[in-house]
Amino acid sequence: MSISTNLQHAYIFRVIGLIGIDIYLVSEIILITSCLNFSNVAEYLIVSIAVVAAAFDVIIYGNPDTDTFIRYEYFTSYVRSDPYRHIFHYTYLIILALCLVLISMAWARNSKYRRDRKLIAYAYLSNTILVLSTIPDVIKIVVDVPFAHIFYCIGICIAFAIFFGAANSYMAFYITVNSISRDIFSTLATGLLVFDTNFHLNLANEYAKKLLGLDKEPHRIRLKEIFKLKSGEPLKMFQTATEGVAIDYRLTSEVTDKVILVNFSCKMDKNNEPMCYILVATDLTEENRLIEEAQAANEAKSQFISNISHEIRTPINIITGMDELICRECTDDKIIKYAENISIASKNLASLINDVLDFSKIESGKLEIISNEYSIKTIINDCYNMFLNMATEKKQKLTVDCNPNIPKRLEGDEVRLKQIISNLLSNAVKYTPEGGSITVKIDFEVITLGSINLLISVIDNGIGIQKKDLPHLFENFQRFELSRNRSIQGTGLGLSITHNLVSLLHGQITVNSVYGEGSTFIAEIPQRVIDPSPIGSITEDYSSIKAKHQSIFTAPNAKILSVDDVQMNLDVLSGLLKKTQVQMDSALSGAEALVKLNKEKYDLIFLDHMMPEMDGIEVLTRLRANKDCINNKTPVIMLTANAIIGADRNYLDSGFDDYLLKPVKPIDLENMIIKHLPPSLVNIQASPTNTSDDESSNDVTQVSSFLASLYFLDTKAGLEFAADDEDFYKQIILTYINEDKRPSMGAAYDKKDWPNYQILAHSLKGTSSTIGAKELSAAAKELEFAVKENRTDYIIEHHDEVMIQYGKLLDKLKTAIQKA
Ligand code: ADP
């Protein structure tokens, strides 16, 4: 104002100065009131009054009528023209100063911190200077003070400088969003990294630098230098972030080797173009260590459970095995009862261990799903027979309702499916009172051409489940109504395992239950279709119950020689006669038989017809020709697989005393022996046990999983030839597997040695028929007859095909035996 030559301009400068002073004063009021803990209303009121007063001051004191401006030679000054406006101005200043003094006194009294008191002291000082600097201007009303406004200006500048300095040291200006963000950025205990759009590191906070070992200046560091990344990965990460997806990565620091969780996002500008990339890095090293420790502990636990279960299983197997022997061999009812109790307890223990083992496998993610081709028939058979005893004991009706259109062969994990059904069935039997009924319903729905949803429902009319318990049904170790179910064995693991198994098979399980009325568990499991032809009715199969064959005589002093080139046939014969206690001897060829016949006296001889080198007829001729032989008169029975009408006549004409068709039926064999052995050697059993029809239908002999796994065989026939003794049947099959005739048949075929080829085909026909492999037996028969009828072209055409069929059968048998 003073240096302005233009009076008009000087006036404008003066108004600007006045506004500045008023703003300064109002700011001071705002600052100090905000530092005091006034209520919001009080704070607004004080500030509003100050603002209104300041506005009036500008309007009234800033009016051109207040002073008259005069231009001297080198400066501009003024003389007062309206004293009232001055009085208003000074009154305003004094009130404001008083208010400030009062407010600051209150503040000084309440302030806890030294910096607050310092600020107040500086505020006093600055205001005092401001007030003092106005003195020349005030007295100018009375005395003319040259350059009075200059004092005022200088005073205000000093006051402003002092107050600004104080406020700065008080950090009043520091409290801004930016400064706080900066502070947070550098002190945050989370790593923050900012990359520019050229993918160069631009900013990194202290924590990030320490965490990632960044000792260089952040600029120009690339992502690949910070984290262990494969080439191409950084670019992909930036691109994904640019697409607007914030992704969490688990990375390892290149320098510090720490495991870090990195949240990678892109900050967009207003045009939706990338501005920068923000990486939030959290140190996971500790978490990682804890996870690894927990995993190791879990692993150790699973290993321990697995080892201990295995260790427990072995003695249990011995206990059950021994117990079984007691049950079989003991005649004392009391001891048999004890043994049965041991059997029940050990079965419970074994199932408990299996549950625990499965549970631990599921928990550690080690339960493997192994898909194979199977027939649902096998599974139903197994499950049905597994629980038939239990259900019968509780007088429950156990039925199977299977949709006959279910595809014949499916692919899936047969073992786990069986486990699911048996867990549900076991619960149904356990939680259904005596006389109740249980139904296993098997249905399906087509998903696509090659896959179906297998719908397995286990329905019971048992105790049912309360509504409140339903949501917890599939949780681990959950058992309900313990007081009511006290007598029922259980761990609360069955349904949890079932639920997990169904999930592992990509299916789902649901339950409908009405308390007191019963429950329905439905498992829906997708399966691949291998053979879509319908399975047909399966009811007769699973309910076919048979009693073991019991021998009708014993002959412990009788000696019988059986002669056959096939070991399996010899085994079958001696196995079938085991219970008769006859002394069995055997020979694998005609020559060996003749040697034995010259040395030992036998009461009966079974002689196979078709043998290589020396066939049965030749052996018999030589025996009968050797008048000195001790067995010259011993009855000889021909064993043949030649079921040709009229063959009997031929055999009898050749000098055989009788003949038996192979595969030999146990009852025919025994009748034949009784017929030809001297009666003094034979003790006929008065009433063999378990042979009457009535009894056999009550006897709930189980169709075992082994028999069910032989779905490709006519097990009915096979078992019959094995005297309905499953163990014996198994043994015969084992011998059948071991006597793989493919190499010898192949060799005979290559050499075009048709006579031997015929003998081998003949024996394959017989042995296959014995185990119930009807198709292969028929195919072998065709080959045998082709040789007989000189149809070599048929053999050439079909040899390979039959060998493949034979190979497949052997593979399936091996699998069944391994599973048994
Ligand atoms: P548990 O070994 O106790 O049988 P599960 O996991 O198989 O364990 O079953 C958990 C609980 O669910 C059982 O204790 C029983 O209370 C209830 N439950 C399961 N199945 C049935 C059912 N079919 N009827 C009634 N209650 C059932």
Side-chain angles (χ1 to χ4, degrees), residues 82-124:
D82 185 346
Y84 297 108
R85 291 182 193 273
H86 283 269
I87 288 166
F88 171 82
H89 179 63
Y90 293 117
T91 314
Y92 158 73
L93 283 182
I94 287 161
I95 290 172
L96 215 64
L98 274 175
C99 284
L100 273 171
V101 168
L102 284 176
I103 294 169
S104 52
M105 269 165 64
W107 183 18
R109 257 190 44 207
N110 292 336
S111 59
K112 279 188 277 184
Y113 304 108
R114 217 148 41 116
R115 64 165 188 274
D116 289 352
R117 287 194 290 275
K118 246 178 167 174
L119 177 66
I120 296 163
Y122 280 113
Y124 272 123

Side-chain angles (χ1 to χ4, degrees), residues 427-428 430-431 460 463-465 473 478-480 485 489-496 519 521:
N427 279 349
K430 280 198 297 187
Y431 300 106
D460 67 59
I463 61 169
I465 302 156
L473 202 61
Q478 286 291 341
R479 305 202 71 208
F480 309 113
N485 299 336
Q489 291 267 357
T491 51
L493 275 179
L495 284 182
S496 151
S519 315
F521 286 82

Side-chain angles (χ1 to χ4, degrees), residues 465-658:
I465 302 156
Q466 292 188 39
K467 234 184 179 144
K468 69 173 175 54
D469 294 331
L470 285 173
H472 310 287
L473 202 61
F474 297 109
E475 289 172 12
N476 298 335
F477 303 107
Q478 286 291 341
R479 305 202 71 208
F480 309 113
E481 297 195 87
L482 284 179
S483 53
R484 186 175 170 180
N485 299 336
R486 197 174 305 242
S487 59
I488 301 175
Q489 291 267 357
T491 51
L493 275 179
L495 284 182
S496 151
I497 292 173
T498 308
H499 183 257
N500 279 303
L501 288 177
V502 172
S503 305
L504 280 171
L505 297 177
H506 310 292
Q508 54 181 22
I509 183 163
T510 48
V511 58
N512 296 318
S513 188
V514 180
Y515 189 55
E517 287 183 22
S519 315
T520 301
F521 286 82
I522 305 168
E524 272 183 59
I525 300 163
Q527 301 284 280
R528 234 163 61 79
V529 177
I530 300 290
D531 179 355
S533 52
I535 194 164
S537 167
I538 62 161
T539 336
E540 312 84 52
D541 287 335
Y542 70 74
S543 55
S544 65
I545 291 159
K546 238 175 172 289
K548 280 187 186 177
H549 171 82
Q550 298 290 316
S551 301
I552 52 172
F553 75 98
T554 56
N557 296 322
K559 264 193 166 179
I560 297 179
L561 175 72
S562 68
V563 187
D564 203 307
D565 61 312
V566 179
Q567 183 63 46
M568 183 182 133
N569 291 337
L570 294 174
D571 289 350
V572 168
L573 214 68
S574 56
L576 289 179
L577 294 176
K578 203 166 159 188
K579 285 189 185 132
T580 63
Q581 297 166 25
V582 291
Q583 298 170 40
M584 289 298 294
D585 199 357
S586 62
L588 268 167
S589 66
E592 191 190 341
L594 286 175
V595 172
K596 286 196 168 178
L597 287 168
N598 279 324
K599 280 189 190 160
E600 188 104 26
K601 170 79 180 100
Y602 296 98
D603 301 301
L604 191 62
I605 300 159
F606 284 106
L607 194 53
D608 181 36
H609 175 198
M610 275 231 186
M611 288 188 290
E613 285 152 28
M614 198 190 293
D615 72 3
I617 297 176
E618 197 181 334
V619 176
L620 179 74
T621 317
R622 289 195 188 194
L623 176 69
R624 296 287 185 241
N626 185 357
K627 300 282 175 211
D628 299 335
C629 178
I630 36 173
N631 288 299
N632 181 260
K633 298 257 171 325
T634 308
V636 179
I637 294 157
M638 161 67 78
L639 285 173
T640 176
N642 283 345
I644 308 165
I645 303 166
D648 48 351
R649 261 282 45 91
N650 294 344
Y651 293 133
L652 298 180
D653 290 348
S654 311
F656 286 98
D657 295 273
D658 225 322

Side-chain angles (χ1 to χ4, degrees), residues 372-376 379 409-412 414 417 454 527:
N372 268 320
E373 200 184 313
Y374 72 90
S375 161
I376 191 74
I379 296 178
R409 313 265 328 138
L410 300 171
E411 191 186 273
E414 189 183 358
L417 264 182
L454 204 55
Q527 301 284 280

